[in-house]
DNA sequence: TCAGGTGTTGACCGATCGGTCAGATTTCGG
DNA sequence: CCGAAATCTGACCGATCGGTCAACACCTGA
């Protein structure tokens, strides 16, 4: 059984991702969920609280992936870096709507605490690269890899229909691993079991 | 001498890019330009017309880069593909604010004709890849390269301060060329031809 | 000097937004 | 069966938005 609050979170996430937060009214969400506007405001104190509640699961997982301890493993180019890439790609696949909001509306939602926190997490990666990665070339490789993956899966216009998610996942991991020189010898090899 | 209309276009472009179209009121633009709200509506029939006018130069240049004739050159991996990458990177650098709007607010502004046109242009690249590029791997390479470059230069949170634009440009062209195997002999790990 | 375009403005309007509130309805333990 | 808590709703409110309009200042050519 899905509660009304859960349904509202689900609908709101889709609506915010597809039409944009500011362009989506509480009334629209209420209509699509089959309840009144007042009901939405009963379950969530404000529109912003609804957004935060809808994004919470995604940002929690992002927290886990980008933990500072795990981040330290990125310096080396070995299996840990490959694992990080896999987790990042899976995060994008599992939370496409939320990721789309982070990618496509980051500037618009700067004043929303939870979005600010997500941005800060990503800045953390950027800051880590600034400190630990020497060449600008390598920084750009990281930026292109992570940004490219995010834009490809969560960005709007360029995103292809993506019929086969598994194939896309495999291709993405291959390309990203290749770009970041993860296990160079195996770059084009099929992703091993997981 | 810069006319009032030019100044309004300039201010509006920055404001729309940094705060978002729907979150930016005509009053804010008027204030920042030192004129009244009515003056803005005198020069531009509506807020949407102002957005279109501000984005026009950028989309015109994008038109030139993504022309179908030039697109056909992408199939080969030679100098023409490298030239395309250079033009695309320069487009992002020269029109960062406009590109930022396309990248970060594409979904939100789907109903604005000029943005829809920009999205269509990019879809055109996607469609071209669908027809002419065989392997999913190669498609993903293109997607990551173009999306990554766009997100790195025009996307919000991951975008580093970018102190040295020339160095960034050079690094980006190198990395993108490497990723798309522009000079196959020099690529790090040439994926088997398809 | 004067007539007429050009640019600018404050006052105003209807619509819509997020949010409040008192009350109706449903649910459920005792 | 009952009463209280939880849930839901229509009516309403103040604020803000995009946009209109009549009036005012300014410049310029005849």
């Amino acid at each position: 059984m899905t509660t009304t609050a859960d349904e509202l979170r689900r609908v709101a996430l889709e609506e915010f991702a597809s039409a944009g937060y500011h362009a989506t009214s509480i009334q629209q969400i209420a209509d699509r969920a089959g309840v009144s506007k007042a009901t939405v405001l009963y379950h969530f104190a404000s529109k912003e609280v609804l957004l935060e509640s809808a994004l919470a699961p995604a940002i929690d997982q992002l927290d886990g992936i980008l933990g500072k301890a795990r981040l330290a493993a990125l310096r080396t180019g070995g299996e840990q870096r490959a694992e990080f890439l896999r987790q990042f790609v899976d995060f994008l696949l599992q939370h496409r709507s939320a990721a789309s909001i982070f990618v496509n509306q980051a500037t618009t939602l700067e004043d929303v605490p939870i979005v600010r926190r997500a941005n800060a997490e990503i800045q953390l990666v950027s800051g880590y690269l600034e400190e630990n990665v020497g060449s600008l070339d390598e920084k750009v490789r990281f930026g292109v890899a992570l940004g490219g993956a995010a834009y490809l899966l969560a960005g709007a216009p360029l995103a292809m229909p993506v019929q086969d998610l598994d194939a896309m996942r495999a291709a993405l991991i291959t390309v990203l691993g290749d770009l970041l020189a993860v296990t160079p010898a195996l770059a084009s090899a099929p992703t091993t079991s997981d």
Side-chain angles (χ1 to χ4, degrees), chain A residues 19-157:
Chain A
Y21 175 76
H22 286 104
T24 301
S25 66
I26 298 179
Q27 187 67 63
Q28 291 174 29
I29 297 171
D31 289 346
R32 268 203 41 179
V35 297
S36 74
K37 186 176 74 167
T39 296
V40 178
L41 274 307
Y42 166 75
H43 287 284
F44 304 94
S46 69
K47 185 184 177 185
E48 192 174 306
V49 167
L50 173 56
L51 173 67
E52 304 219 8
S53 181
L55 290 179
I59 201 167
D60 282 346
Q61 181 165 341
L62 192 60
D63 256 334
I65 295 176
L66 298 185
K68 203 154 195 172
R70 310 181 184 215
L71 214 54
L74 290 187
R75 189 166 357 182
T76 68
E79 173 57 28
Q80 287 183 324
R81 185 182 280 189
E83 174 64 17
F84 168 79
L85 291 179
R86 241 171 294 157
Q87 286 181 354
F88 185 71
V89 169
D90 284 338
F91 161 75
L92 291 174
L93 286 170
Q94 287 167 28
H95 296 95
R96 281 184 80 177
S97 291
S100 172
I101 292 176
F102 289 137
V103 170
N104 291 319
Q105 304 179 55
T107 54
T108 302
L109 301 177
E110 259 176 350
D111 48 347
V112 179
I114 198 173
V115 175
R116 199 199 299 272
R117 206 178 102 207
N119 288 353
E121 302 246 20
I122 297 180
Q123 290 282 13
L124 193 142
V125 177
S126 179
Y128 176 85
L129 294 181
E130 200 63 36
E131 293 175 10
N132 297 57
V133 173
S135 69
L136 178 61
D137 244 54
E138 189 75 0
K139 290 176 196 165
V140 169
R141 284 190 135 77
F142 260 100
V144 170
L146 301 186
Y151 195 63
L152 196 57
L153 290 181

